[in-house]
Amino acid sequence: MPSSPRPPTGNRRRNLAIGAGAVAVVVVGALGIGGALSGTGDDTETSDGAATTEAPTTTVNTEAPTTTTTAPPTTTTTVPPTTTTTAPPDAAADGTLELGEDGPAVQALQQRLVDLGYWLGSADGNYGQLTRQAVMAFQKAEGLGRDGVAGPITQERLAGAQRQASRTGGTGLEIDLERQILMVVQGGQVQWVINTSTGNNETYTSSTGGSAVAATPPGSFTINREIDGLREAPLGTLYRPKYFNGGIAIHGSGSIPAHPASHGCARVTNSAMDMLWSSGVAAIGTPVTVY
């Protein structure tokens, strides 16, 4: 069989080049595919041609987290101090009412005295000097002990007492020497009863140097002179005196005891004297009966 004609030399060289190139392409392609399959990248290191992948280091904290518990702030509760309220003692608890006490029982006592005509200013619930004077006047009028203290006997007598009666039945002032009370009478009725202290019937030396008796003579008189103020007399100070028998007067004083103690005048408290002036019951010309 006849052999095939050989290609020209130039063409043979071109074919060899093309064939070599195709082989090269195949080799390179194979290498490329292997590299892709081996995961080549920044995270790999090559040792002996083997690819080693290093896992990222993970640090596990095996120590349990510390938990800090803050205790709530201590609250201090201050208990307020115990307040003990002591009720004031009842003035009537011991059955006796006296100077310096106050309260409803005292006011009831005062009102009873006022209802019976014993002058004490006002029923204010305070057992002051005017209340003591009124109690003393009541005790004198009723023939009781004269201490100005409203004890059980005085209170019992007060509960059933009647208003005092006038001896003259007219209008004016009456001074009862035995009981040592002064009564203001209006139209035959006793309006007020006031504690008084008259002459003690003792002998004394008069302002002229002679001997005199401290007496308040009984009789019927009339107020004929008065001084609206203080009179400094030789035998003492007279507050707003109203004269009815020479130098003998009804006047205010700071001392009205339970017994006769003056040089002849009829003493009453300064407050009672103010009332006699302001009420007009002891004006000039008013009758004064002493018995």
Side-chain angles (χ1 to χ4, degrees), residues 71-89:
T74 302
T75 302
T76 302
T77 303
T78 303
V79 179
T82 302
T83 301
T84 302
T85 302
T86 303

PDB file of all heavy atoms in Angstrom, residues 71-89:
ATOM      1  N   ALA A  71     -25.917  43.745 100.245  1.00  0.00           N
ATOM      2  CA  ALA A  71     -27.031  43.696 101.201  1.00  0.00           C
ATOM      3  C   ALA A  71     -27.748  45.038 101.205  1.00  0.00           C
ATOM      4  O   ALA A  71     -27.124  46.085 101.051  1.00  0.00           O
ATOM      5  CB  ALA A  71     -26.512  43.391 102.608  1.00  0.00           C
ATOM      6  N   PRO A  72     -29.058  45.008 101.321  1.00  0.00           N
ATOM      7  CA  PRO A  72     -29.792  46.289 101.368  1.00  0.00           C
ATOM      8  C   PRO A  72     -29.351  47.100 102.571  1.00  0.00           C
ATOM      9  O   PRO A  72     -28.953  46.550 103.588  1.00  0.00           O
ATOM     10  CB  PRO A  72     -31.258  45.848 101.501  1.00  0.00           C
ATOM     11  CG  PRO A  72     -31.185  44.474 102.097  1.00  0.00           C
ATOM     12  CD  PRO A  72     -29.925  43.871 101.535  1.00  0.00           C
ATOM     13  N   PRO A  73     -29.410  48.441 102.443  1.00  0.00           N
ATOM     14  CA  PRO A  73     -28.977  49.286 103.570  1.00  0.00           C
ATOM     15  C   PRO A  73     -29.830  49.033 104.804  1.00  0.00           C
ATOM     16  O   PRO A  73     -31.024  48.768 104.722  1.00  0.00           O
ATOM     17  CB  PRO A  73     -29.190  50.716 103.039  1.00  0.00           C
ATOM     18  CG  PRO A  73     -30.207  50.563 101.961  1.00  0.00           C
ATOM     19  CD  PRO A  73     -29.941  49.225 101.327  1.00  0.00           C
ATOM     20  N   THR A  74     -29.176  49.065 105.929  1.00  0.00           N
ATOM     21  CA  THR A  74     -29.892  48.853 107.191  1.00  0.00           C
ATOM     22  C   THR A  74     -30.758  50.063 107.503  1.00  0.00           C
ATOM     23  O   THR A  74     -30.296  51.196 107.480  1.00  0.00           O
ATOM     24  CB  THR A  74     -28.899  48.645 108.343  1.00  0.00           C
ATOM     25  OG1 THR A  74     -28.073  47.529 108.014  1.00  0.00           O
ATOM     26  CG2 THR A  74     -29.637  48.389 109.650  1.00  0.00           C
ATOM     27  N   THR A  75     -32.018  49.806 107.733  1.00  0.00           N
ATOM     28  CA  THR A  75     -32.939  50.882 108.076  1.00  0.00           C
ATOM     29  C   THR A  75     -33.185  50.868 109.573  1.00  0.00           C
ATOM     30  O   THR A  75     -33.616  49.863 110.127  1.00  0.00           O
ATOM     31  CB  THR A  75     -34.279  50.716 107.344  1.00  0.00           C
ATOM     32  OG1 THR A  75     -34.029  50.690 105.940  1.00  0.00           O
ATOM     33  CG2 THR A  75     -35.228  51.864 107.687  1.00  0.00           C
ATOM     34  N   THR A  76     -32.853  51.974 110.212  1.00  0.00           N
ATOM     35  CA  THR A  76     -33.037  52.068 111.663  1.00  0.00           C
ATOM     36  C   THR A  76     -34.345  52.781 111.950  1.00  0.00           C
ATOM     37  O   THR A  76     -34.558  53.910 111.500  1.00  0.00           O
ATOM     38  CB  THR A  76     -31.887  52.851 112.311  1.00  0.00           C
ATOM     39  OG1 THR A  76     -30.658  52.194 111.988  1.00  0.00           O
ATOM     40  CG2 THR A  76     -32.068  52.915 113.828  1.00  0.00           C
ATOM     41  N   THR A  77     -35.234  52.108 112.616  1.00  0.00           N
ATOM     42  CA  THR A  77     -36.513  52.707 112.973  1.00  0.00           C
ATOM     43  C   THR A  77     -36.449  53.208 114.413  1.00  0.00           C
ATOM     44  O   THR A  77     -36.197  52.447 115.334  1.00  0.00           O
ATOM     45  CB  THR A  77     -37.665  51.700 112.850  1.00  0.00           C
ATOM     46  OG1 THR A  77     -37.678  51.186 111.515  1.00  0.00           O
ATOM     47  CG2 THR A  77     -38.999  52.347 113.184  1.00  0.00           C
ATOM     48  N   THR A  78     -36.639  54.508 114.561  1.00  0.00           N
ATOM     49  CA  THR A  78     -36.598  55.101 115.896  1.00  0.00           C
ATOM     50  C   THR A  78     -38.000  55.123 116.472  1.00  0.00           C
ATOM     51  O   THR A  78     -38.902  55.720 115.895  1.00  0.00           O
ATOM     52  CB  THR A  78     -36.043  56.531 115.843  1.00  0.00           C
ATOM     53  OG1 THR A  78     -34.743  56.493 115.252  1.00  0.00           O
ATOM     54  CG2 THR A  78     -35.957  57.131 117.248  1.00  0.00           C
ATOM     55  N   VAL A  79     -38.178  54.447 117.557  1.00  0.00           N
ATOM     56  CA  VAL A  79     -39.490  54.421 118.212  1.00  0.00           C
ATOM     57  C   VAL A  79     -39.654  55.712 118.999  1.00  0.00           C
ATOM     58  O   VAL A  79     -38.784  56.082 119.785  1.00  0.00           O
ATOM     59  CB  VAL A  79     -39.594  53.216 119.168  1.00  0.00           C
ATOM     60  CG1 VAL A  79     -40.944  53.203 119.868  1.00  0.00           C
ATOM     61  CG2 VAL A  79     -39.368  51.934 118.390  1.00  0.00           C
ATOM     62  N   PRO A  80     -40.734  56.463 118.718  1.00  0.00           N
ATOM     63  CA  PRO A  80     -40.917  57.712 119.463  1.00  0.00           C
ATOM     64  C   PRO A  80     -41.043  57.450 120.946  1.00  0.00           C
ATOM     65  O   PRO A  80     -41.546  56.403 121.369  1.00  0.00           O
ATOM     66  CB  PRO A  80     -42.238  58.267 118.885  1.00  0.00           C
ATOM     67  CG  PRO A  80     -42.937  57.063 118.328  1.00  0.00           C
ATOM     68  CD  PRO A  80     -41.836  56.151 117.839  1.00  0.00           C
ATOM     69  N   PRO A  81     -40.541  58.372 121.753  1.00  0.00           N
ATOM     70  CA  PRO A  81     -40.622  58.176 123.207  1.00  0.00           C
ATOM     71  C   PRO A  81     -42.065  58.098 123.669  1.00  0.00           C
ATOM     72  O   PRO A  81     -42.946  58.737 123.118  1.00  0.00           O
ATOM     73  CB  PRO A  81     -39.926  59.433 123.772  1.00  0.00           C
ATOM     74  CG  PRO A  81     -40.048  60.444 122.684  1.00  0.00           C
ATOM     75  CD  PRO A  81     -39.973  59.674 121.397  1.00  0.00           C
ATOM     76  N   THR A  82     -42.273  57.291 124.650  1.00  0.00           N
ATOM     77  CA  THR A  82     -43.611  57.133 125.203  1.00  0.00           C
ATOM     78  C   THR A  82     -43.984  58.375 125.997  1.00  0.00           C
ATOM     79  O   THR A  82     -43.228  58.841 126.845  1.00  0.00           O
ATOM     80  CB  THR A  82     -43.669  55.904 126.129  1.00  0.00           C
ATOM     81  OG1 THR A  82     -43.287  54.755 125.368  1.00  0.00           O
ATOM     82  CG2 THR A  82     -45.072  55.713 126.681  1.00  0.00           C
ATOM     83  N   THR A  83     -45.124  58.937 125.634  1.00  0.00           N
ATOM     84  CA  THR A  83     -45.598  60.125 126.334  1.00  0.00           C
ATOM     85  C   THR A  83     -46.675  59.713 127.322  1.00  0.00           C
ATOM     86  O   THR A  83     -47.681  59.107 126.935  1.00  0.00           O
ATOM     87  CB  THR A  83     -46.179  61.156 125.345  1.00  0.00           C
ATOM     88  OG1 THR A  83     -45.157  61.512 124.408  1.00  0.00           O
ATOM     89  CG2 THR A  83     -46.654  62.402 126.081  1.00  0.00           C
ATOM     90  N   THR A  84     -46.433  60.011 128.550  1.00  0.00           N
ATOM     91  CA  THR A  84     -47.398  59.681 129.591  1.00  0.00           C
ATOM     92  C   THR A  84     -48.178  60.931 129.956  1.00  0.00           C
ATOM     93  O   THR A  84     -47.595  61.940 130.355  1.00  0.00           O
ATOM     94  CB  THR A  84     -46.689  59.140 130.849  1.00  0.00           C
ATOM     95  OG1 THR A  84     -45.917  57.995 130.482  1.00  0.00           O
ATOM     96  CG2 THR A  84     -47.711  58.770 131.921  1.00  0.00           C
ATOM     97  N   THR A  85     -49.459  60.881 129.724  1.00  0.00           N
ATOM     98  CA  THR A  85     -50.307  62.021 130.046  1.00  0.00           C
ATOM     99  C   THR A  85     -50.958  61.769 131.400  1.00  0.00           C
ATOM    100  O   THR A  85     -51.681  60.788 131.583  1.00  0.00           O
ATOM    101  CB  THR A  85     -51.394  62.217 128.976  1.00  0.00           C
ATOM    102  OG1 THR A  85     -50.758  62.401 127.711  1.00  0.00           O
ATOM    103  CG2 THR A  85     -52.258  63.429 129.307  1.00  0.00           C
ATOM    104  N   THR A  86     -50.645  62.650 132.304  1.00  0.00           N
ATOM    105  CA  THR A  86     -51.210  62.517 133.644  1.00  0.00           C
ATOM    106  C   THR A  86     -52.365  63.492 133.791  1.00  0.00           C
ATOM    107  O   THR A  86     -52.190  64.699 133.639  1.00  0.00           O
ATOM    108  CB  THR A  86     -50.155  62.827 134.724  1.00  0.00           C
ATOM    109  OG1 THR A  86     -49.040  61.949 134.537  1.00  0.00           O
ATOM    110  CG2 THR A  86     -50.738  62.637 136.117  1.00  0.00           C
ATOM    111  N   ALA A  87     -53.521  62.969 134.025  1.00  0.00           N
ATOM    112  CA  ALA A  87     -54.690  63.823 134.188  1.00  0.00           C
ATOM    113  C   ALA A  87     -54.564  64.613 135.485  1.00  0.00           C
ATOM    114  O   ALA A  87     -54.086  64.086 136.493  1.00  0.00           O
ATOM    115  CB  ALA A  87     -55.956  62.972 134.234  1.00  0.00           C
ATOM    116  N   PRO A  88     -54.940  65.890 135.435  1.00  0.00           N
ATOM    117  CA  PRO A  88     -54.856  66.675 136.665  1.00  0.00           C
ATOM    118  C   PRO A  88     -55.776  66.089 137.720  1.00  0.00           C
ATOM    119  O   PRO A  88     -56.829  65.532 137.402  1.00  0.00           O
ATOM    120  CB  PRO A  88     -55.341  68.073 136.219  1.00  0.00           C
ATOM    121  CG  PRO A  88     -56.143  67.811 134.980  1.00  0.00           C
ATOM    122  CD  PRO A  88     -55.509  66.639 134.315  1.00  0.00           C
ATOM    123  N   PRO A  89     -55.379  66.159 138.957  1.00  0.00           N
ATOM    124  CA  PRO A  89     -56.217  65.586 140.010  1.00  0.00           C
ATOM    125  C   PRO A  89     -57.562  66.286 140.095  1.00  0.00           C
ATOM    126  O   PRO A  89     -57.672  67.488 139.857  1.00  0.00           O
ATOM    127  CB  PRO A  89     -55.375  65.825 141.279  1.00  0.00           C
ATOM    128  CG  PRO A  89     -54.471  66.965 140.937  1.00  0.00           C
ATOM    129  CD  PRO A  89     -54.174  66.817 139.484  1.00  0.00           C
TER     130      PRO A  89
END
